[in-house]
Amino acid sequence: MTTSIAKYCSILLLGLGIALGGCASHTVKTSPYVQLQQETSEIPESQLLDLGVVLLDPNLEQIDEDDALVFAEVRKAESHYMAGQMAQAIQNSSAWGAVRVIPNAATVADVIVSGKILHSDGETLKLALDVIDVSGRSWYSKEYKAVASRYAYRRETATRDDPFVSLYHQVANDLLNYRQKLSGTDLQQLRTLGELRFAESFSPEAFGGHLQQDKNGRYQVLRLPAHNDPMMQRIRGIRERDHLFVDTLQDYYGNFNRQIDTPYRDWRKQTYMEVRNLRQVKQQAFNQTIAGVVAVLGGIAATTSGNRAVRNSGAVAIGGGGFLIKEGFGKRAEADMHSETIRELGDSLEAAIQPQVIELEDRTITLSGSVQQQYRQWRDILREYYQLETGQDLGPKGNGQ
Amino acid sequence: MVLAMNIKTKGLLRTFARAALLLSLSGTALLGCKTQSSTSQPSVPSPSPSSSPSSSPSSSPSSSQPSTAGSSMPRPSSPTPSSPTPSSPSSGSTQPGGDNEPRDNSGDSRDQRSGQPDRGAPSEGGRQSQGGVFNEGAEASEGADASPYYDAYDPSADNGDSDNSTDSSEGGPGGGSTSDDISFDETPPGRTSAERQAELDAEFEGSMERYDGMILRERERAQSEAAAQGAEEQLESAGGADGSGGQQSGGAGSSNPYGDPSGEAPEQQSTDANSSGDTQASGGRQPAGGPQGSNGQGNDSVPDDIPSGDDDDVVARQIREAAMAETDPELREKLWEEYRRYKNR
């Protein structure tokens, strides 16, 4: 009885080991293409919302130090690159006013899209996005994932689009769908809120009483300025200059993306193959190791059988299992080679784009500093205007913040 | 007896002389004290500055501080024993008439308002404080004519300097008012609200112009770099032009999500954010190198030997548009050379 059980167990384990060792990793992937939806009806100018896409968070803090597939400079470059791709897709939906990439969420825009990069290589892109409007209301938070098609990197079949264009189209479609649920009054209210919040940031003395923020952080309009309010006219002039500043940043970002486009695409193409190979080899290594262990265990169990044939099978199983384990170690070494290749590709790309990243940061910080200094001085001027026009004494000047 | 009388007379005379000396000294001292403590006598009725012929010409409420200071001084006709002599008024410009020398008083005050140095009588110590205020105000007004606030709000100036200059221009009346316990008012004396408004308007417009200049310079710089990059890419793609060259150029050109700034060159001067945003969007959809339709629309940069381009294929049209949009003459000539080479192959 015991011999029968041992015989059956050994045969079962042997068969399992052969099955695992013989299983080929076969994965079927589908890469559906998401078509971009476009607004077909004409939107009144008073309902056109301006949208700002904040530079994506590179998410470097949450990356494991041992993660060899993440490169800080590449992530910083991707934060600009992907924000630009997203802005382009949103703009192409023809449902928004000015769609710009903004350096941070402090820039006043009717709708702000912000997020972080969860994972990015040539094969897979994962983003986590948050959408919030100027009234402080959160539209939605969502994670997006896209897997590039192998044909996206083939010379014969590659298109001009980004390999992850479907993800950007999905983002734009979701924004459009949410926007279409809002009424015209809501859209106009958002435009008004945006203007008043901007005005309040520059002249809280004059416009602080026009808005109210509740405990949830939501803004509401209490009253509107006069049609010919001279202070509002000045604020509008300042806001045009602010738009100029953001448009100048678009030129910076555009030049940067153009400079890194070729090396970045090459990096994506090469890492695509290496990442796929790495994943496949790792899976094979895992399967072979497990199969070898199971076969060895089965063979050991079979050697205790009274049946000579079973004992012989057990010996074969032990030999085969050992071979599989050895192959598994070999696959693991091959996986390390692929990891090393990916690391070298990343280092090479970092070296290629680091000067552009540094230059972009330098120019952006320099321009932002000059602009912020000018804004402080405008705040002081507006404060003087307010004192002069109202006769109120606001006391000593602040720091123009 | 006569001698005794003489002695007595001398004694009396001596006594009278001493008394007179003491009186004059005490009178002088009292006069000086009264002048300095003139502001601390609010109970004394004071004439309004507007009623005084020698009052400050400024109609701004901010000019109240000298008038208030002067208004607290007792009238020379006051029966107060300690009142100053009519010949030595203790206040500044607002001392009303009734003095023995009212014209001198007003003349003094006018001189002080115009910034003339004080008549250096010690009895006018109090007036000096007021006169000093006037002097500082006059200096401030003179400084305002030279627009100290332009320097104060110059983006290239130090904020500390701007604060100091602003404070110094206000320090006169502010300091005087503080010492006279009068509320702070930024508008300097002698300047109306309209004038101050005009100054602020000029300063605001000036700062806008400076900002516009700075931003437009940055934009032109960025767009010229973009145009240079675009031209180089066109050269590279045209040099390797085959079935995949055009695709690569198109890929490299249109992969820029921000559009092609070289196509936005006519929009550089636009300050409308919406139009620039729309141009940015449309630039992304346009082929790299500028507007479509190169049917010889009167571009002076086209060499004479270049045909009309009606039969251009995709690559030739892109090279042509890049050459027509190029501002650098060397690059433009290279692009035309490449165009000729491509057409004649």
Side-chain angles (χ1 to χ4, degrees):
Chain A
M1 180 65 174
T2 307
T3 304
S4 304
I5 293 174
K7 182 173 71 175
Y8 290 135
C9 285
S10 63
I11 293 172
L12 184 63
L13 285 173
L14 189 62
L16 187 61
I18 293 171
L20 281 174
C23 273
S25 59
H26 182 68
T27 307
V28 177
K29 288 185 182 177
T30 57
S31 303
Y33 179 76
V34 177
Q35 193 72 25
L36 177 68
Q37 297 175 9
Q38 288 187 320
E39 178 66 51
T40 53
S41 60
E42 187 176 349
I43 303 173
E45 199 276 337
S46 61
Q47 299 178 11
L48 270 179
L49 300 181
D50 291 341
L51 190 142
V53 180
V54 183
L55 295 176
L56 297 179
D57 181 3
N59 197 21
L60 297 175
E61 300 83 17
Q62 298 180 359
I63 295 171
D64 188 5
E65 291 182 0
D66 296 332
D67 196 338
L69 300 183
V70 182
F71 305 91
E73 296 299 326
V74 175
R75 275 292 178 91
K76 289 179 188 175
E78 286 177 330
S79 69
H80 293 82
Y81 190 88
M82 292 174 186
Q85 295 288 340
M86 204 179 310
Q88 179 68 23
I90 296 170
Q91 183 78 70
N92 290 342
S93 65
S94 305
W96 308 91
V99 181
R100 304 183 183 92
V101 177
I102 55 180
N104 48 58
T107 305
V108 179
D110 299 330
V111 181
I112 289 183
V113 178
S114 60
K116 64 172 67 173
I117 302 172
L118 300 177
H119 181 85
S120 172
D121 56 39
E123 185 189 24
T124 308
L125 176 61
K126 281 179 66 178
L127 304 177
L129 299 181
D130 302 307
V131 183
I132 187 169
D133 64 26
V134 71
S135 71
R137 178 177 58 182
S138 173
W139 284 15
Y140 56 85
S141 297
K142 193 173 177 182
E143 285 190 10
Y144 294 86
K145 179 181 176 180
V147 178
S149 166
R150 61 188 301 181
Y151 301 105
Y153 297 108
R154 279 193 172 179
R155 190 178 180 182
E156 299 80 14
T157 54
T159 64
R160 292 177 295 179
D161 292 333
D162 190 275
F164 301 104
V165 67
S166 293
L167 185 147
Y168 306 127
H169 286 177
Q170 188 63 53
V171 172
N173 294 343
D174 290 345
L175 283 168
L176 176 58
N177 291 335
Y178 192 96
R179 184 205 154 280
Q180 288 175 338
K181 297 175 187 173
L182 301 176
S183 65
T185 307
D186 293 337
L187 297 173
Q188 290 178 7
Q189 190 80 350
L190 288 177
R191 287 285 301 268
T192 305
L193 263 173
E195 190 174 49
L196 287 176
R197 284 197 63 183
F198 186 87
E200 186 192 24
S201 70
F202 272 87
S203 184
E205 309 88 8
F207 299 102
H210 290 67
L211 296 174
Q212 182 185 33
Q213 189 177 18
D214 60 14
K215 58 182 178 179
N216 297 324
R218 297 278 300 275
Y219 285 89
Q220 293 177 350
V221 177
L222 291 181
R223 62 175 184 267
L224 297 173
H227 176 69
N228 55 352
D229 187 353
M231 190 66 84
M232 183 52 88
Q233 299 299 326
R234 298 179 194 116
I235 293 290
R236 287 187 180 127
I238 293 175
R239 198 174 191 198
E240 289 297 324
R241 271 79 184 171
D242 187 62
H243 289 158
L244 263 182
F245 162 62
V246 177
D247 289 341
T248 306
L249 290 181
Q250 310 308 295
D251 294 336
Y252 287 175
Y253 298 150
N255 290 345
F256 173 76
N257 286 355
R258 195 177 300 106
Q259 289 168 354
I260 71 167
D261 184 70
T262 301
Y264 181 62
R265 280 177 174 255
D266 291 340
W267 174 80
R268 269 184 165 174
K269 178 181 177 181
Q270 291 165 0
T271 54
Y272 174 82
M273 299 306 300
E274 294 298 329
V275 165
R276 283 170 57 89
N277 294 338
L278 175 63
R279 187 176 61 251
Q280 290 175 0
V281 168
K282 275 188 174 178
Q283 189 65 37
Q284 290 175 1
F286 177 79
N287 292 342
Q288 287 175 352
T289 304
I290 294 297
V293 169
V294 169
V296 165
L297 290 176
I300 292 172
T303 54
T304 60
S305 172
N307 191 333
R308 186 176 178 178
V310 173
R311 287 200 301 272
N312 292 338
S313 301
V316 171
I318 291 173
F323 177 77
L324 285 174
I325 292 174
K326 175 184 169 296
E327 286 295 307
F329 288 147
K331 287 292 182 182
R332 215 172 269 123
E334 187 179 341
D336 291 339
M337 286 175 52
H338 286 295
S339 291
E340 187 62 31
T341 303
I342 293 173
R343 194 178 301 115
E344 289 177 2
L345 288 172
D347 291 339
S348 174
L349 179 62
E350 270 194 332
I353 68 174
Q354 191 171 22
Q356 284 81 16
V357 173
I358 293 174
E359 183 186 357
L360 175 66
E361 286 181 354
D362 180 59
R363 294 180 71 177
T364 303
I365 289 172
T366 302
L367 181 62
S368 299
S370 300
V371 168
Q372 291 303 321
Q373 185 180 4
Q374 180 65 72
Y375 286 1
R376 281 194 293 270
Q377 292 168 351
W378 279 338
R379 289 189 178 96
D380 291 339
I381 294 178
L382 292 177
R383 180 186 169 92
E384 277 208 52
Y385 267 121
Y386 181 78
Q387 291 186 127
L388 194 64
E389 291 171 353
T390 61
Q392 295 184 23
D393 177 21
L394 299 178
K397 283 185 185 177
N399 55 0
Q401 298 291 335
Chain B
M1 189 173 180
V2 173
L3 183 61
M5 284 184 67
N6 287 339
I7 293 172
K8 203 172 185 182
T9 305
K10 284 183 183 174
L12 284 174
L13 285 174
R14 231 179 264 124
T15 306
F16 278 128
R18 286 187 195 136
L21 183 61
L22 282 174
L23 275 174
S24 63
L25 287 175
S26 61
T28 305
L30 279 175
L31 184 63
C33 290
K34 273 197 178 294
T35 304
Q36 292 176 5
S37 63
S38 62
T39 59
S40 59
Q41 297 178 2
S43 61
V44 178
S46 58
S48 64
S50 58
S51 64
S52 169
S54 60
S55 61
S56 169
S58 172
S59 60
S60 168
S62 61
S63 62
S64 61
Q65 51 98 22
S67 62
T68 309
S71 65
S72 62
M73 282 304 303
R75 288 173 172 270
S77 58
S78 168
T80 307
S82 60
S83 62
T85 59
S87 60
S88 56
S90 60
S91 70
S93 62
T94 58
Q95 190 60 34
D99 301 339
N100 291 336
E101 300 176 357
R103 293 180 184 176
D104 291 340
N105 180 24
S106 60
D108 290 340
S109 62
R110 279 199 293 270
D111 289 340
Q112 288 171 3
R113 285 196 301 277
S114 64
Q116 296 296 322
D118 290 332
R119 310 291 169 82
S123 61
E124 298 178 352
R127 189 189 307 174
Q128 282 183 355
S129 65
Q130 302 301 323
V133 168
F134 283 118
N135 286 336
E136 289 175 8
E139 289 172 358
S141 63
E142 290 173 358
D145 294 338
S147 303
Y149 296 100
Y150 273 95
D151 294 332
Y153 293 111
D154 188 353
S156 59
D158 186 8
N159 283 336
D161 293 337
S162 68
D163 292 336
N164 291 336
S165 62
T166 306
D167 292 338
S168 64
S169 63
E170 300 168 354
S177 61
T178 302
S179 64
D180 295 333
D181 196 16
I182 295 169
S183 63
F184 176 75
D185 195 327
E186 292 190 11
T187 304
R191 193 177 306 158
T192 63
S193 297
E195 290 171 353
R196 182 75 187 109
Q197 178 95 14
E199 282 183 7
L200 277 179
D201 289 340
E203 176 58 29
F204 191 61
E205 291 297 323
S207 64
M208 289 280 195
E209 288 173 5
R210 286 191 296 272
Y211 177 88
D212 291 345
M214 182 265 292
I215 281 291
L216 288 176
R217 277 195 300 273
E218 286 296 321
R219 290 208 72 186
E220 286 174 7
R221 177 185 166 194
Q223 288 173 0
S224 64
E225 290 175 3
Q229 287 179 8
E232 289 175 4
E233 288 171 0
Q234 289 292 332
L235 276 175
E236 290 174 3
S237 61
D242 52 6
S244 62
Q247 185 180 0
Q248 287 181 1
S249 66
S254 64
S255 65
N256 177 18
Y258 302 94
D260 185 0
S262 59
E264 297 179 22
E267 303 293 333
Q268 283 184 17
Q269 302 303 322
S270 171
T271 58
D272 185 355
N274 287 333
S275 64
S276 61
D278 295 336
T279 306
Q280 176 179 334
S282 59
R285 299 194 199 92
Q286 292 174 358
Q292 297 180 2
S294 56
N295 294 323
Q297 295 182 357
N299 193 332
D300 295 335
S301 64
V302 179
D304 296 332
D305 61 327
I306 300 297
S308 64
D310 294 336
D311 58 341
D312 283 348
D313 58 2
V314 174
V315 176
R317 189 175 76 240
Q318 288 182 350
I319 301 173
R320 185 188 184 95
E321 289 170 354
M324 290 170 66
E326 179 56 48
T327 56
D328 187 350
E330 290 183 6
L331 282 173
R332 185 168 63 236
E333 189 53 37
K334 286 183 183 177
L335 285 170
W336 284 126
E337 279 297 324
E338 198 60 40
Y339 180 83
R340 294 188 189 95
R341 206 176 306 141
Y342 182 80
K343 291 289 283 184
N344 296 330
R345 64 190 175 95

